[in-house]
């Protein structure tokens, strides 16, 4: 079961990255409800085995592409994020002091905290892309113009999957011309 979940997550991330065209050192946010993946109401059935399997699959792809992972915590930690200290320093993100737990922060953020070389928590980011596994509301951590991306994976386990990338704002009105690379 965990292998199937991991494969689905890996496929979704790879497909999203193809569309998002992220560069090295980009920020990729992941919100994940292990409860929803297991078929339960969000926040009611934290499952560290599911979270670990999903985290490992997603993190491996992002490390390969040299993209920073930001693991969104649950609402009990105000949706703070767990990132590597290197990412916080690169993006000049103020660090806050909290250690996620399965029932206060979420199992996925807890997995990130234990796996990262030097984990820290931050309150907000502006990621260039991300995936939301189980309706965790990652939109607050995306750059201002989020664009939904449809991938071949619609659910991971029982959880809805929503993917998004971002693009620069269009400015200038009807006579403006736009750079196709950023559409």
């Amino acid at each position: 079961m965990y292998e199937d979940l991991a494969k689905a997550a890996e496929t979704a991330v790879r497909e999203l990255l193809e569309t998002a065209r992220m560069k090295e050192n980009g920020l990729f946010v992941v919100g994940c409800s292990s409860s929803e993946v297991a078929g339960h109401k969000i926040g009611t059935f934290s499952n560290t085995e599911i979270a670990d399997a999903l985290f490992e699959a997603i993190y491996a792809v992002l490390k390969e592409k040299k993209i920073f992972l930001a693991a969104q915590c649950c609402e009990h930690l105000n949706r703070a994020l767990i990132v590597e200290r290197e990412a916080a320093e690169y993006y000049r993100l103020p660090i806050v002091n909290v250690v996620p737990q399965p029932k206060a922060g979420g199992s996925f953020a807890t997995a990130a905290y234990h796996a990262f070389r030097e984990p820290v928590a931050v309150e907000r980011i502006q990621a260039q892309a991300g995936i939301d596994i189980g309706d965790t509301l990652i939109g607050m951590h995306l750059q201002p113009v989020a664009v939904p991306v449809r991938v071949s994976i619609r659910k991971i386990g029982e959880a809805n999957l929503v993917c998004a990338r971002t693009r620069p704002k269009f400015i200038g009105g009807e006579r403006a011309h736009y750079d196709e690379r950023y559409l």
Side-chain angles (χ1 to χ4, degrees), residues 30-106:
V30 175
C32 177
S33 169
S34 60
S35 300
E36 290 277 333
V37 173
H40 299 274
K41 181 181 171 194
I42 195 168
T44 64
F45 192 80
S46 293
N47 185 305
T48 56
E49 291 85 7
I50 287 173
D52 288 344
L54 295 175
F55 174 82
E56 289 171 16
I58 293 167
Y59 190 46
V61 174
L62 296 176
K63 274 180 71 171
E64 169 190 316
K65 304 285 186 182
K66 298 181 179 169
I67 294 170
F68 292 121
L69 169 61
Q72 179 180 275
C73 295
C74 72
E75 66 180 294
H76 295 98
L77 298 185
N78 298 323
R79 293 194 173 79
L81 304 119
I82 304 303
V83 298
E84 288 277 14
R85 178 177 292 279
E86 180 183 0
E89 290 173 354
Y90 185 87
Y91 283 97
R92 298 180 178 200
L93 302 169
I95 295 170
V96 296
N97 188 1
V98 71
V99 177
Q101 305 297 313
K103 296 259 183 210

